[in-house]
Amino acid sequence: MRTTFAGKTAVITAAANGIGRASALALAARGADVIATDIDGDGVAALADEQAGITAQRLDVMDSNAIDELVQNNPRIDILVNCAGWVHDGSILDCDEEAWDRSFALNAKAMYRITKAVLPGMLETGTGAIVNIASIVSSEKGAPRRFAYGASKAAIIGMTKSIAADFVQDGIRCNAICPGTVQSPSLEDRLRATGDFDKALAAFQQRQPMGRLGTPEEIAEMVCYLASDMAGFTTGQAFAVDGGWSI
Ligand code: NAD
């Protein structure tokens, strides 16, 4: 069976960079009409210029009104890829309430908000695939200095399973992907923020048993699979794409 998304509309959050960007390119290359959204409007506009089949839309996933407007303007959404996320660096002792709240607001609540807005349209058509980008650092695995991040990414796995269970008989599938460490602009920022980029990069590479970081494209392949009819019997699962980190 060949994966084709012809006639399908996909909305992706945080599509200007990293995994979201690679997912937008991969879905569009396979024929989807992709609405690439990001708080960085210029970033998604550049992406839309790069490949046919991609429309750019500035969207802050923390903005309920903007989400409602997006859904009103695009009543038929077949695929939703929830990619927006934020890393707080620190243990519980470093995590003040602001960092905790921001982690859950961006990583979990925003996903709840946009999924709740998109689902009624999917239920009307009787079909829909939701792909949530969680992390292997979640309920799957602990990692140093990822307290609020891991907790909020675990919430995504719980949400994924709940949504899958509630709508399993309505043609809606909802799955999560748990990436290991993947090259991206924000990862580079985090490496730079340690004060010793090379040392931090080497440490991140070493914790991946394959000895290298993942690429956004490797995660995008799993996005495409889970969004496609080839995954028609698959829902409510969290898939590790982590270079063996969780073995
Ligand atoms: P990234 O962090 O480099 O880019 C994130 C994008 O999110 C940026 O384009 C940014 O403009 C956008 N963004 C930030 N706040 C936003 C908001 N409020 N509304 C809309 N967009 C917003 O990309 P990445 O590292 O590929 O991360 C993407 C997702 O993958 C995140 O959820 C992240 O937690 C998850 N993830 C990443 C890794 C990794 O190692 N890179 C590992 C596991 C999980």
Side-chain angles (χ1 to χ4, degrees):
M1 203 192 301
R2 202 167 156 269
T3 310
T4 172
F5 296 105
K8 304 263 187 194
T9 298
V11 167
I12 306 179
T13 68
N17 288 293
I19 293 166
R21 184 177 196 280
S23 301
L25 288 167
L27 285 165
R30 291 162 172 82
D33 294 320
V34 173
I35 303 169
T37 76
D38 198 289
I39 197 169
D40 173 4
D42 291 343
V44 277
L47 176 65
D49 286 344
E50 199 177 302
Q51 185 164 311
I54 300 181
T55 310
Q57 169 82 58
R58 185 189 177 279
L59 180 74
D60 177 353
V61 293
M62 309 278 254
D63 182 344
S64 305
N65 292 333
I67 287 173
D68 289 345
E69 200 178 313
L70 175 84
V71 174
Q72 271 160 24
N73 291 338
N74 300 281
R76 173 149 192 167
I77 296 168
D78 305 286
I79 296 161
L80 173 63
V81 183
N82 282 313
C83 195
W86 178 66
V87 179
H88 174 257
D89 177 44
S91 75
I92 186 170
L93 299 178
D94 308 305
C95 181
D96 58 20
E97 294 203 7
E98 200 186 324
W100 173 269
D101 287 345
R102 181 166 162 72
S103 298
F104 275 80
L106 187 45
N107 296 351
K109 190 173 181 183
M111 202 175 275
Y112 140 79
R113 191 182 285 131
I114 192 162
T115 304
K116 188 173 178 186
V118 168
L119 251 171
M122 289 182 166
L123 289 169
E124 227 166 84
T125 56
T127 174
I130 301 163
V131 182
N132 295 330
I133 306 301
S135 172
I136 200 66
V137 179
S138 56
S139 44
E140 304 293 296
K141 184 170 175 52
R145 305 190 60 79
R146 291 292 178 267
F147 167 68
Y149 180 76
S152 61
K153 290 292 186 177
I156 292 173
I157 296 175
M159 237 190 308
T160 299
K161 289 183 182 291
S162 295
I163 292 164
D166 280 332
F167 301 103
V168 66
Q169 293 178 348
D170 299 303
I172 312 293
R173 295 181 302 101
C174 183
N175 289 288
I177 299 176
C178 299
T181 309
V182 173
Q183 294 158 18
S184 73
S186 74
L187 176 75
E188 292 195 2
D189 290 345
R190 288 192 289 284
L191 294 173
R192 254 188 302 276
T194 64
D196 188 339
F197 183 95
D198 292 338
K199 189 173 164 211
L201 176 60
F204 274 22
Q205 284 167 337
Q206 268 164 23
R207 72 182 187 183
Q208 299 288 142
M210 288 184 184
R212 68 169 178 88
L213 305 185
T215 67
E217 290 73 23
E218 287 171 318
I219 311 302
E221 285 301 315
M222 183 60 106
V223 170
C224 286
Y225 170 67
L226 292 173
S228 77
D229 293 342
M230 289 175 75
F233 203 49
T234 302
T235 192
Q237 302 305 310
F239 292 93
V241 185
D242 68 347
W245 193 12
S246 60
I247 293 171

